Amino acid sequence: MSDVLLAIETSCDETSAAVIDRSLTILSNVVASQNELHERFGGVVPEIASRAHVRRIVPVIDEALESAGFGMADLAAIAAVTEPGLVGSLLVGLTAAKTLAAVWEKPLVAVNHLEAHLYACRMAAGRDVFPAVGFVVSGGHSNLYDCVGPSEFRPLGGTIDDAAGEAFDKVAQILGLPYPGGPSIQKAAEDGDPKAVALPRPMLNSSRLAFSFSGLKTALLYEVRGIPGSGSVPPPLTPQRVADLAASFQAAAVDVLVAKCRQALKETGRKRLLIGGGVAANAVFRSQVAATCDRSQTELVLAPPSLCTDNAAMAGLAWEHVAAGRFASLECDVMPGLVRI
Ligand code: KG4
Ligand code: ZN
């Protein structure tokens, strides 16, 4: 068997293909973002996302193979992310992978997107990082796991309403900041005071390993538009007010994210924390979670920002499946459904 595989990721709005070798070195990782297509809607429009994947998937795969210096014939396997995600988006990646696997007679491997977000930490570390607590904090999920081994991820808890990234995106929209909201809020917050506006920290003191961001989002909406029926007139949305609201929201969200990581570490007794997903690119979250881990002598493995947002290299997890002989059949289907939490 050769020593490189092709991984394809199209679960949401990034069309991505990567070539990864058996030692988990990333030889190429091409990501075609669709941000410009969804920006004016303030969020991902599934139909637009699927159509854009259809247009981009072949050039993205070609570029990934070409820049890694390999052809289809050289591959040990073809991996595709099959769950969870947008059904139309997932289908484009899986159909491309199945077609190539059938034509080139290569084994097919199915990869779970959330597990891949955690595996990005393993890819970046270049060594074994299990067991650990794992935290996927992205646009679609805020999930904590007990990661027993590289392919055994036991759910500990998750969000009961909005995911953290979704809250960043919606709050950015309320503040008139560009999509995707996470990076815009982080940037606007640099000029703001995180203590300017008192916002709730939902579930901070709850014994449940769960998140809720919808109340925080609504509290911010009331700060911007006033409480309905109260007659209160909110301060004008000046650039400074936007910066203060962005900083206050970011501080509240990060406080909860960090506290729940602490709680999961305490409950499991693990001394290592893996964090992946788009929101893990947030600079304030990164520095606060690092400080918490320092204090509790916990090893922190944060995926680098380039491996936090959706990309195919994190599906290097496929090598674990290859090693265990876990191949998918050409009849396999996508599983868009949300996680088992
Ligand atoms: O992991 P990802 O690319 O896609 C999903 O699987 O959802 O995450 C995208 C999410 C978006 O909600 C985006 O606003 C958020 O990650 N994000 C950030 C930052 N960069 C991306 N959130 C906070 N701060 C950031 N710097
Ligand atoms: Zn993701």
Side-chain angles (χ1 to χ4, degrees):
M1 195 185 254
S2 78
D3 280 327
V4 289
L5 62 70
L6 171 72
I8 298 172
E9 149 70 50
T10 60
S11 64
C12 190
D13 64 333
E14 253 83 46
T15 316
S16 183
V19 175
I20 305 134
D21 77 11
R22 195 183 289 278
S23 65
L24 300 179
T25 303
I26 301 167
L27 303 174
S28 64
N29 188 19
V30 178
V31 183
S33 159
Q34 300 180 8
N35 284 345
E36 79 288 358
L37 299 179
H38 302 285
E39 190 170 9
R40 71 192 170 101
F41 303 103
V44 177
V45 182
E47 183 62 25
I48 293 176
S50 325
R51 286 169 189 266
H53 284 309
V54 169
R55 281 194 303 276
R56 294 164 185 209
I57 189 72
V58 173
V60 163
I61 291 172
D62 279 347
E63 192 183 330
L65 287 168
E66 202 178 309
S67 67
F70 288 96
M72 287 302 305
D74 304 318
L75 301 177
I78 297 166
V81 166
T82 55
E83 65 170 318
L86 300 172
V87 64
S89 292
L90 287 166
L91 276 170
V92 177
L94 179 60
T95 305
K98 279 182 180 179
T99 308
L100 293 172
V103 170
W104 290 89
E105 298 182 354
K106 302 287 178 186
L108 180 69
V109 184
V111 173
N112 177 301
H113 178 76
L114 302 174
E115 295 178 357
H117 266 308
L118 292 175
Y119 204 76
C121 299
R122 163 71 183 87
M123 304 283 300
R127 62 183 158 78
D128 186 19
V129 292
F130 301 97
V133 162
F135 188 26
V136 180
V137 61
S138 71
H141 303 89
S142 312
N143 291 353
L144 284 158
Y145 296 86
D146 185 17
C147 308
V148 181
S151 30
E152 190 176 352
F153 303 89
R154 296 186 188 156
L156 293 169
T159 183
I160 57 170
D161 43 52
D162 293 354
E166 197 180 346
F168 271 90
D169 293 337
K170 286 178 181 164
V171 163
Q173 207 177 7
I174 295 167
L175 295 177
L177 296 169
Y179 174 84
S184 311
I185 287 190
Q186 181 181 315
K187 187 156 190 303
E190 283 167 12
D191 302 318
D193 173 6
K195 294 201 170 78
V197 183
L199 292 171
R201 268 88 173 140
M203 307 204 71
L204 187 69
N205 298 313
S206 158
S207 59
R208 283 178 66 192
L209 273 178
F211 302 89
S212 165
F213 290 104
S214 70
L216 170 57
K217 182 188 65 192
T218 308
L220 186 124
L221 182 73
Y222 289 171
E223 288 291 337
V224 172
R225 301 198 188 147
I227 299 172
S230 70
S232 66
V233 181
L237 211 49
T238 59
Q240 188 56 52
R241 174 86 174 148
V242 169
D244 286 343
L245 285 164
S248 302
F249 165 78
Q250 181 174 253
V254 166
D255 275 357
V256 179
L257 297 175
V258 173
K260 291 295 166 186
C261 288
R262 237 182 354 248
Q263 196 175 330
L265 287 161
K266 207 168 157 204
E267 277 186 26
T268 56
R270 300 279 188 219
K271 280 294 186 190
R272 193 185 284 132
L273 176 62
L274 316 179
I275 310 183
V279 181
N282 185 273
V284 173
F285 175 56
R286 293 176 83 85
S287 75
Q288 290 197 15
V289 82
T292 286
C293 287
D294 256 6
R295 280 195 295 273
S296 61
Q297 277 102 46
T298 299
E299 183 194 349
L300 175 64
V301 188
L302 267 165
S306 62
L307 294 182
C308 281
T309 44
D310 290 350
N311 67 90
M314 64 191 193
L317 170 61
W319 275 116
E320 300 285 345
H321 298 321
V322 170
R326 278 189 299 271
F327 294 102
S329 93
L330 287 177
E331 276 76 51
C332 78
D333 206 350
V334 299
M335 283 177 282
L338 293 174
V339 261
R340 316 146 286 225
I341 288 181

